[in-house]
Amino acid sequence: MASYPPAACCTIGVKHNGDPTGNSLTIESIQAYEAVPKDKVHKDVAILFLPDVIGIWQNSQLLADQFAANGYYTLIIDLFNGDPVKLNRAPDFDLMGWLTKGSDGNNPHTVEAVDPIVEKSIAYLQNKGYSKIGAVGYCFGAKYVARFMAEGKGIGVGYVAHPSFVDEAELLAIKGPWSIAAAQTDSIFPAENRHKSEEILIKTGQPFQINLYSGVEHGFSIRGDPNIKIQKFSKEQAFYQAVSWLDEFLI
């Protein structure tokens, strides 16, 4: 794998302060959150926000609002069919069991379940007239950025932070620019996987970027503690990285 499956570190973090300003909506029974740009608007351009296992919550909504403030219509979708993981679950929480079966044993969060959700969300954006669609993926969501950057899948530009579960074949198949924000300490995306990803990205022939942030761990870009200086700085820089990448390759 280009990155390993999610683990306990994918559920740990800090809730950020702020008041989300976007709107909740439903797309063919899929829960979603939209952040609409106001003063600065990139015409015909949208971002599909594919979240970590915590799903649509305060931190992801605030990030979506920040993308909108930079001119991007941003749509977060519930990849988990109403079954996200709560922040800071107990250490004995069976994350892999949740992935394969869901909380009730009959609501899996596998490729077979998640792909149709992403497909419907891309179709929704296309039907709204967005002709240029980029995607940002955090942890779990990164896999689906890669999957939908394959030929004809609908995503043209991708940015991912501390990715998990990305197969080498999925990364090799991307057909657009790809940016990664990586943590120095990350058992899911350790140094050997970063180096392997670099080798694969060179083979794709696509523009790519891998930024490594020292002093932080998996999840820093969305669940980092803003009261710790290095985490706050790295979270902000990872966001600027995303915006700069999208500004360069999506607009």
Side-chain angles (χ1 to χ4, degrees):
M1 281 191 169
S3 57
Y4 294 128
C9 59
C10 300
T11 69
I12 296 170
V14 175
K15 183 177 180 179
H16 299 158
N17 294 323
D19 297 312
T21 58
N23 310 301
S24 296
L25 68 156
T26 302
I27 302 168
E28 295 189 37
S29 78
I30 302 166
Q31 296 175 26
Y33 175 90
E34 65 174 0
V36 182
K38 296 177 182 178
D39 299 326
K40 177 182 179 181
V41 180
H42 297 312
K43 191 176 186 308
D44 303 325
V45 176
I47 295 174
L48 183 61
F49 188 126
L50 303 179
D52 62 8
V53 297
I54 315 299
I56 301 172
W57 66 303
Q58 174 102 339
N59 291 15
S60 57
Q61 291 170 330
L62 291 173
L63 269 179
D65 291 348
Q66 290 178 316
F67 282 116
N70 281 271
Y72 293 97
Y73 175 87
T74 305
L75 181 72
I76 312 177
I77 56 169
D78 172 23
L79 297 173
F80 310 110
N81 194 29
D83 183 38
V85 174
K86 291 183 180 179
L87 185 66
N88 296 327
R89 292 296 300 260
D92 61 351
F93 175 66
D94 183 6
L95 183 61
M96 293 309 297
W98 172 84
L99 283 167
T100 56
K101 298 179 292 186
S103 296
D104 64 1
N106 194 34
N107 188 10
H109 311 304
T110 57
V111 165
E112 294 77 13
V114 176
D115 270 0
I117 295 173
V118 181
E119 289 168 358
K120 290 176 182 177
S121 302
I122 292 172
Y124 172 82
L125 292 172
Q126 292 171 334
N127 290 336
K128 283 178 67 71
Y130 292 106
S131 56
K132 293 184 285 186
I133 302 173
V136 296
Y138 295 84
C139 189
F140 180 95
K143 178 180 182 70
Y144 295 90
V145 177
R147 289 182 63 78
F148 284 85
M149 282 184 66
E151 188 72 42
K153 290 288 190 176
I155 300 299
V157 178
Y159 161 86
V160 300
H162 30 84
S164 68
F165 243 158
V166 180
D167 290 335
E168 293 181 12
E170 292 167 340
L171 189 57
L172 186 61
I174 65 168
K175 297 299 180 184
W178 178 266
S179 178
I180 302 174
Q184 178 185 359
T185 303
D186 191 340
S187 61
I188 292 172
F189 192 54
E192 60 266 26
N193 294 70
R194 293 198 308 269
H195 300 156
K196 183 63 178 179
S197 295
E198 179 181 342
E199 294 172 5
I200 294 170
L201 288 166
I202 290 171
K203 291 178 183 178
T204 69
Q206 300 295 334
F208 73 91
Q209 172 188 55
I210 303 175
N211 286 6
L212 180 63
Y213 293 85
S214 66
V216 293
E217 300 178 356
H218 183 89
F220 77 94
S221 71
I222 193 166
R223 289 177 269 111
D225 188 343
N227 295 310
I228 298 176
K229 186 176 180 180
I230 188 61
Q231 293 190 31
K232 180 177 185 292
F233 174 78
S234 299
K235 174 188 178 298
E236 292 172 349
Q237 291 300 309
F239 175 75
Y240 297 146
Q241 175 186 336
V243 171
S244 297
W245 192 256
L246 294 163
D247 285 351
E248 177 66 21
F249 292 105
L250 188 60
I251 298 174

